[in-house]
Amino acid sequence: MVALAVAAVLSLRRREVRPRRPLAAVTVAPLGLFDYLAWVNHHMGDLNGYPKLQDGARAQRFDWGVHTVDVLTSTPVGHFDHPFAMPFEDVIGVCMRWRRRC
């Protein structure tokens, strides 16, 4: 949605199209997200269904970046004991983050 908003602003600044189209796109884009969240909440039978789905089914929760720091600091030294560890993909991700160190 952020990328769409940036594209709409750039399009409006360049005056490529009439203002209605970019503004309509920015207005309609979040509806898909809200629809998905409502669908998950309905099927989970709880208004807080999406966070419960993330925590229960995917073992993911909002932790202020603690897990990300753990992966970024343990992967370069060969520790892959975090949940859902994928050593090859993790090493690539860490190398992309710190390109000069790999």
Side-chain angles (χ1 to χ4, degrees), residues 64-81:
W64 301 98
V66 172
H67 179 69
T68 303
V69 170
D70 180 43
V71 170
L72 290 174
T73 56
S74 64
T75 300
V77 294
H79 295 284
F80 302 106
D81 56 352

Side-chain angles (χ1 to χ4, degrees), residues 10-92:
L10 292 175
S11 177
L12 290 172
R13 287 184 70 200
R14 293 182 195 147
R15 298 181 186 184
E16 294 174 350
V17 294
R18 291 185 288 183
R20 282 187 272 169
R21 294 182 76 188
L23 295 177
V26 170
T27 303
V28 172
L31 297 179
L33 172 65
F34 296 135
D35 185 44
Y36 175 69
L37 293 175
W39 178 80
V40 169
N41 292 342
H42 174 72
H43 283 281
M44 295 281 293
D46 188 2
L47 289 176
N48 201 19
Y50 185 74
K52 287 184 179 181
L53 173 69
Q54 288 291 93
D55 188 30
R58 299 180 184 154
Q60 297 176 348
R61 65 180 63 89
F62 187 74
D63 63 357
W64 301 98
V66 172
H67 179 69
T68 303
V69 170
D70 180 43
V71 170
L72 290 174
T73 56
S74 64
T75 300
V77 294
H79 295 284
F80 302 106
D81 56 352
H82 48 275
F84 301 106
M86 294 180 269
F88 184 71
E89 292 85 352
D90 290 342
V91 168
I92 289 174

